[in-house]
Amino acid sequence: DQFLEYMLRLGEEKLVRIGGRTRSENLKKYELKSLSRKEKTFNVTDADCRMRSVVAQLHACKEEMTELLKTLQMPLTWNEPNGGVNELFSTIGGNLHLNFEVRNSDGFVTLAKKNKTVDEEYLFNAWKEGKDCPSWLQDSIFWIDDPDFQNLWVLRHEERLDQLHRWKDFHLETLMATLENVNRRYDELSAEKANISQEIDSLVLSEARIIGATTTGAAKYKELISIKSASVVMCEEAGEVTEQNVISALTERMENSKETKHLILIGDHLQLRPKVESYSLTKVSGNGFDLDVSLF
């Protein structure tokens, strides 16, 4: 930051700072994120339009996944989720629905305790709670002439709960497939968003004469910096910087980049050595990595 501030005082304004937030008020507007936001605001490019579209699609995917997850967590009832058991019986086919069929004649309605209307949902809830089949329904089931008919009321409570779990798994298979597709689409859009962001960042860097970065920032944005193809790389306090961090800041000749031509290391042979957290990577470990050896 001191070097960048010095360049500002000399009148150089085509500079970009990459890395964590700076404490310098003078450099905040030159941070890559700030400049990229400014680029999106004042220069509406094809990348900006695509970014807005991708962000909108990501928001829609996120909302859809949230709703699908809520649906998957709902208990299976007669009508919910997505039509519930009632819809499931229609999908499966057969005559399972006869276990909960209510036949009212002449406009009369069957009532239970506390004047609750006895309908298919009422019977299903009673079955789910482990209650016995009403006597009037037993008579109807008795006269069903179908060898494939399954009398669900003879199941014990534990068996009914197991049956419910199997029904729910079957009923939600389509939802699970939909969720997987939406999640896959979300990942694709996230990758596209990252690519567009890099495209906008590259546009910002292309106009810069000086790029300032911490060693961590240079390693993190190596691919982005390589597109700029800086011919001169200068490293301050190089005595404390590990060799791999210096190497990560250099670029080689590739299809979309040129090689670094000049590397300047500024440091002091009396400075502290690079700090390495892993003992196995130090010189005294004898493993040959020697990452804590100073470049000076």
Side-chain angles (χ1 to χ4, degrees):
D1 283 357
Q2 290 178 340
F3 173 76
L4 294 179
E5 286 184 323
Y6 178 72
M7 298 306 297
L8 278 176
R9 288 196 295 271
L10 292 179
E12 178 59 67
E13 293 189 352
K14 289 186 176 182
L15 54 86
V16 178
R17 184 187 183 278
I18 297 177
R21 290 185 178 181
T22 178
R23 295 180 181 180
S24 171
E25 293 295 329
N26 295 328
L27 293 177
K28 283 185 177 180
K29 66 178 182 179
Y30 294 99
E31 290 183 324
L32 179 60
K33 290 183 179 180
S34 298
L35 292 172
S36 295
R37 283 197 295 267
K38 183 178 179 181
E39 181 69 29
K40 295 174 188 176
T41 302
F42 294 103
N43 298 309
V44 181
T45 64
D46 175 64
D48 300 322
C49 295
R50 285 187 286 122
M51 176 64 83
R52 293 189 183 97
S53 175
V54 167
V55 170
Q57 292 179 69
L58 279 170
H59 181 70
C61 282
K62 189 174 181 179
E63 286 188 339
E64 187 175 357
M65 284 191 290
T66 300
E67 291 302 317
L68 286 170
L69 289 172
K70 286 181 180 178
T71 302
L72 289 170
Q73 293 170 359
M74 291 174 61
L76 185 63
T77 66
W78 182 251
N79 291 312
E80 296 292 341
N82 288 19
V85 175
N86 190 19
E87 180 65 26
L88 175 67
F89 287 168
S90 300
T91 303
I92 295 176
N95 48 23
L96 285 173
H97 66 281
L98 295 178
N99 284 280
F100 310 107
E101 187 177 47
V102 178
R103 298 179 181 180
N104 294 318
S105 58
D106 299 328
F108 287 95
V109 176
T110 304
L111 297 177
K113 293 180 179 180
K114 298 182 180 180
N115 292 327
K116 288 186 178 181
T117 302
V118 176
D119 54 14
E120 287 81 359
E121 184 175 9
Y122 176 89
L123 291 174
F124 174 74
N125 289 336
W127 176 84
K128 186 168 63 172
E129 293 169 4
K131 295 180 180 178
D132 294 331
C133 179
S135 57
W136 56 268
L137 183 57
Q138 288 180 7
D139 295 337
S140 299
I141 292 176
F142 177 78
W143 290 105
I144 295 175
D145 185 17
D146 186 345
D148 295 327
F149 174 73
Q150 180 185 2
N151 187 352
L152 298 175
W153 291 95
V154 300
L155 299 177
R156 298 191 306 274
H157 189 211
E158 296 79 8
E159 293 174 324
R160 297 180 187 185
L161 295 179
D162 289 340
Q163 182 64 63
L164 272 174
H165 286 303
R166 288 193 293 271
W167 282 344
K168 183 174 182 179
D169 291 341
F170 179 81
H171 186 54
L172 298 182
E173 277 183 5
T174 303
L175 282 178
M176 285 297 299
T178 303
L179 180 61
E180 290 176 2
N181 290 333
V182 174
N183 188 57
R184 190 179 303 111
R185 176 62 177 158
Y186 186 89
D187 290 340
E188 292 172 354
L189 288 169
S190 297
E192 185 177 354
K193 180 184 176 184
N195 290 335
I196 296 174
S197 293
Q198 187 179 72
E199 186 178 331
I200 296 173
D201 291 342
S202 297
L203 180 61
V204 173
L205 291 183
S206 67
E207 299 175 356
R209 293 185 69 246
I210 298 174
I211 300 173
T214 61
T215 53
T216 302
K220 181 179 180 181
Y221 294 94
K222 176 177 174 56
E223 184 177 351
L224 184 62
I225 294 176
S226 67
I227 297 175
K228 175 62 178 177
S229 302
S231 59
V232 178
V233 174
M234 182 183 298
C235 180
E236 288 187 288
E237 299 182 2
E240 295 185 77
V241 179
T242 58
E243 184 178 353
Q244 71 272 19
N245 277 337
V246 174
I247 293 175
S248 68
L250 308 180
T251 57
E252 57 183 331
R253 181 182 293 275
M254 298 179 68
E255 182 179 352
N256 62 343
S257 64
K258 299 177 181 179
E259 77 277 7
T260 301
K261 296 180 179 180
H262 197 175
L263 172 63
I264 303 172
L265 300 179
I266 302 174
D268 185 344
H269 65 285
L270 297 178
Q271 276 183 315
L272 294 174
R273 294 187 302 173
K275 184 178 180 181
V276 179
E277 298 294 337
S278 176
Y279 174 78
S280 61
L281 300 177
T282 62
K283 182 178 180 179
V284 295
S285 69
N287 292 327
F289 296 105
D290 304 345
L291 296 187
D292 60 340
V293 174
S294 172
L295 293 175
F296 288 84

